[in-house]
Amino acid sequence: MEAAAEGAEQGGGGAGGPEEPVVSLAEVLAENEELEKEARAVLGGSDHERCSYSQGAVKRQALYACSTCTPAGEEPAGICLACSYECHGTHKLFELYTKRNFRCDCGNSKFKNLQCKLLPEKGKVNSGNKYNDNFFGLYCTCKRPYPDPEDEIPDEMIQCIVCEDWFHGRHLGAVPPESGDFHEMICQACMKHCHFLWAYASQLAVPALTKVNSLEDKGIILNVEESEEQKKEIKKESGVEHQEKEEGKQIEQFNEPSTSSGSSCPEIVTKSEDPVCKLKELQSKQFLKKDTATFWPSNWRSKLCTCEDCLKMYSELEVQFLTDECDTVLAYENKGTSDQETDRRDPLMDTLNSMNRVQQVELICEYNDLKTELTDYLRRFADEGTVVKREDIQHFFEEFQSRKRRRTNRMQYYCS
């Protein structure tokens, strides 16, 4: 706030001089609250004091890669949140956001000159960990860093929920829907690997455009190769509207909203008691496969078939996590936010606990007076959209102290 105020004063000075950007108090508070919310969501589900190695392969946690200890050319390695603070605090780190089923590598055989300060006794390698180019600061099919100093095209990075790599929106083969319209994305390569998902995509996926922009910012149309058989199927499908009406009830039932929420989800996925395979039903209908990424709504995982054959297929493709709604990044973020709110300690309460009864009452009264008056004072600036200057804050506390002294002088103390 102070910097903004000084900048405003300087900018409004000399004639013809460039004006410094002015930020209102409301904007500062809103931005700070949003940043804190994001940090609590991503880091809240991870322990910042204890190395996560002892937990084994953690279901989902915030991870980092150390470019200082494991540069390009070395074996990739990932470290947990606590080790990023304690063991690599002065190193160059790549933030990997979150990864699933990963065990902290800090101090193992991949780190030639470093021993973990939090948990020195570790195995040489974690054979269950999976790595990609993200661990060397490279992302997407273009294998570029983020942010990329040579890329002048504004673009959003989206994480694939299967391979967990990050992709530029323009490199997904289709223009992504608005960010609020979809919950998860599966990239082109993973859709080829999990080809069965195309049957679900025809009913569940959020529609995406097929026009993409090249690096030269020229409009091109995605070339989707369709076989003659697929073209016949599309024509056939368009000519039998009565068949769609007959299937309407089944589709409506399939698309019923999930009763699960982002913060509460079943821990164990059991085999479906329904003898009918949902996947086979969908595969019996016409659907089109494309060479594009797909975008999915928030409840789509609960619609996947969990019959014995499908569970076996998920295991063979190593995508069992798709049926686990607790695997989602949203579930992790919600848990982190909830844990942070629960564990967050109030410094005022800590101070009160160290005082006697009389001191507690006096402090609470003083605190409430200060909080109420300062809130009312600052609200005027926020409502008017004006900048809070240094002298405004100084003036408030001078007035507050003056009022406090006047109240104290009028008070009479009695003792029994």
Side-chain angles (χ1 to χ4, degrees), residues 227-258:
S227 65
E228 290 300 321
E229 183 179 356
Q230 286 174 327
K231 291 177 181 178
K232 290 179 181 179
E233 288 177 347
I234 294 172
K235 291 180 180 178
K236 179 181 177 183
E237 185 179 6
S238 62
V240 286
E241 294 182 0
H242 66 278
Q243 182 179 352
E244 293 181 356
K245 292 180 180 179
E246 292 175 358
E247 296 168 348
K249 291 184 179 180
Q250 293 179 346
I251 295 174
E252 184 178 353
Q253 182 179 4
F254 190 79
N255 284 323
E256 286 180 356
S258 171

Side-chain angles (χ1 to χ4, degrees), residues 130 193-196 312-320:
K130 292 185 178 181
H193 176 67
C194 304
H195 51 83
F196 71 91
K312 181 180 179 182
M313 175 185 64
Y314 303 147
S315 179
E316 291 173 349
L317 295 174
E318 297 183 337
V319 292
Q320 304 96 312

Side-chain angles (χ1 to χ4, degrees), residues 39 42-44 46-48 61-67 70 76-85 88 91-99 102-106 111 131 134-137 139 332:
V42 178
L43 304 180
S46 300
D47 194 327
H48 67 282
Q61 64 175 317
L63 283 182
Y64 300 81
C66 182
S67 177
T70 55
I79 59 176
C80 68
L81 176 64
C83 288
S84 73
Y85 293 153
H88 305 264
H91 298 179
K92 180 181 178 181
L93 301 178
F94 296 124
E95 185 177 357
L96 305 179
Y97 198 53
T98 70
K99 300 283 186 185
F102 198 94
R103 196 173 195 183
C104 180
D105 285 322
C106 180
F111 295 80
Y131 307 89
N134 295 176
F135 289 81
F136 296 117
Y139 308 89
Y332 169 86

Side-chain angles (χ1 to χ4, degrees), residues 172-177 206-212 222 290 292-293 295:
L172 292 172
V175 176
V206 179
L209 302 177
T210 56
K211 187 176 180 181
V212 296
L222 178 69
K290 298 180 180 180
T292 68
F295 308 89

